[in-house]
Every structure is written in structure tokens, then in C-alpha cells.
Amino acid sequence: MASGTVIIDPGHGGTHNVGGSDANHAVSPSGFLEKNMTLRQSLEVRDALNAAAAAGGHTIKVIMTRDTDRNLSLRDRAGFARTHSADRFLSIHYNGFNKVSRGTETYVRHPSDNTNLAADRRFAQRIQTAVFSTIRAHDPGADDRGVKEARFGVLSDVSLGNTGGVRRCRACLLEIEFIDVKAVDQLLNLSTNAAAVRADIAAAIARAIIDDLQNP
């Protein structure tokens, strides 16, 4: 059985930039804002994880960094993990670039200042595989952009509480898809099947988190 505390962080939020966290980044062709999409998907992940935990007899506590339209600094977002002695931290985002690029990618903290790189990469790969495979099942145009490394503030080990001999929390940042692409907007927001696609993504993420807790 799996047990642990999981922090789900819906990217962005609110109306003002706060401590390195933009209020919003990407916008879909039909006008859906990334900040609202991250919150919607994160709440679905929370519910899927709670349901899977109950069904499987797992003891998992799920905490959201936000469940309303507000913004938090990157340090404060990561600080949820430190405050609650979290075992996993997942920040959920969507990409936007040139209205053509597509794909799912997941980031871990750069190796130069990551105290548990190998563990983070295992967690990130599980999330990456789960989300990409789910999207690909609904849309053959999906692309696997893999696990990457970056110095995102929300993945800071110091802010997460991974300091000294304590390296408890595995963390990654998920970019589900490029929402400035019309096909992705259709897939996740506009089609009659959009709610089912998002539910499948949420369920896949929940399974990946439970798998990582069970098989660290």
C-alpha cells in the first residue's frame, strides 16, 4: 500500500505577478487562460488521487497550493512541501509558444543544485509517461518531449525542504500540452470529449503518483 503526503500546485493564478510567479502565461485560441486550466486539471487530479487512494486502501494526504484564482510566489508554493513534510510535489502547467509546437514535457531541478536528482527523474518520468500516453491515446498528434532540467524556483530544494540530510520530497513540473495550438484547444476544452480526456489525464497522474510512492 502507498502512503504519503502529496502537494499539487496549479500554476499561475490571480491578477498580479507574485514572487516570480506570473498571473498567467499561455492562452488558447478560444480564450481559455492557462491559470484556469491548471486549476481545473489540478482539482481533477486531487479528486482522482483521493478516489484511487480510497479504492486501493492507500493512505495519501493531498494538499493543494491553491484551490481558487489566486497567485502565490514560487517560494511559497514550494514551501507547502516543507511545511507539510511532503513526499511528492507536482506543479501543473500548460505551454504556449508559436501556435504550432506540441507535446508533453516534465521538468526536474537542474543537477547543479538538485540534492535528489535521480529520484526526481524517476518521479518525473512516471508522470511524463502517464500523461503523454494518455494524450496520445486520444490524439495521434501528441509528442513526447521527455524529461528535462531547469532552474525553476518552484522546484528549489531549499524551498521544498530538501536540505542537509533531509531529502524527502521528490518534485517535478509538468507541462501538459501547448494550449495555443487549435488541436489542443479542441482536445482539452472544446470537444464533446474534452471532459473525458481531462479525466483520463487526471487518473493517469494519480496512478503514476501512487506507483512512485509504492516503488520509490
Side-chain angles (χ1 to χ4, degrees):
M1 298 300 172
S3 64
T5 298
V6 177
I7 307 297
I8 304 296
D9 173 46
H12 308 288
T15 56
H16 298 88
N17 298 348
V18 179
S21 176
D22 296 343
N24 190 69
H25 172 58
V27 181
S28 80
S30 66
F32 280 81
L33 301 181
E34 179 186 0
K35 67 170 187 173
N36 296 329
M37 291 180 64
T38 62
L39 179 58
R40 178 181 64 186
Q41 187 69 72
S42 294
L43 290 169
E44 291 171 344
V45 170
R46 178 198 64 185
D47 293 347
L49 190 51
N50 282 332
H58 307 296
T59 305
I60 299 174
K61 183 177 183 180
V62 185
I63 299 171
M64 303 279 291
T65 60
R66 69 179 182 99
D67 55 12
T68 60
D69 184 21
R70 65 184 185 122
N71 200 2
L72 299 166
S73 73
L74 300 181
R75 179 179 295 178
D76 285 345
R77 291 171 186 273
F80 272 75
R82 183 182 63 250
T83 299
H84 296 281
S85 298
D87 300 281
R88 301 293 184 274
F89 178 94
L90 175 62
S91 188
I92 295 178
H93 291 253
Y94 292 92
N95 256 322
F97 180 47
N98 59 5
K99 302 181 181 180
V100 177
S101 298
R102 285 200 58 179
T104 302
E105 57 192 16
T106 306
Y107 287 85
V108 297
R109 183 75 176 184
H110 194 273
S112 63
D113 52 1
N114 189 329
T115 63
N116 54 354
L117 178 62
D120 280 351
R121 287 190 67 87
R122 286 194 296 272
F123 176 43
Q125 188 61 63
R126 283 180 166 123
I127 296 295
Q128 173 69 20
T129 300
V131 175
F132 164 69
S133 298
T134 301
I135 295 176
R136 185 65 178 270
H138 289 280
D139 182 354
D143 185 24
D144 185 354
R145 297 170 66 94
V147 173
K148 302 181 178 181
E149 299 160 353
R151 290 187 173 89
F152 290 138
V154 76
L155 301 179
S156 164
D157 272 324
V158 173
S159 298
L160 292 166
N162 291 333
T163 58
V166 179
R167 301 177 182 180
R168 176 171 185 156
C169 186
R170 298 183 184 184
C172 64
L173 184 149
L174 167 67
E175 297 274 10
I176 292 177
E177 252 286 9
F178 286 76
I179 62 170
D180 59 339
V181 176
K182 287 184 178 180
V184 175
D185 195 15
Q186 186 71 20
L187 179 72
L188 299 177
N189 296 317
L190 303 177
S191 76
T192 56
N193 198 43
V197 174
R198 297 194 308 269
D200 285 350
I201 292 171
I205 292 173
R207 289 193 298 270
I209 291 173
I210 290 173
D211 183 27
D212 201 66
L213 288 169
Q214 283 184 304
N215 304 286

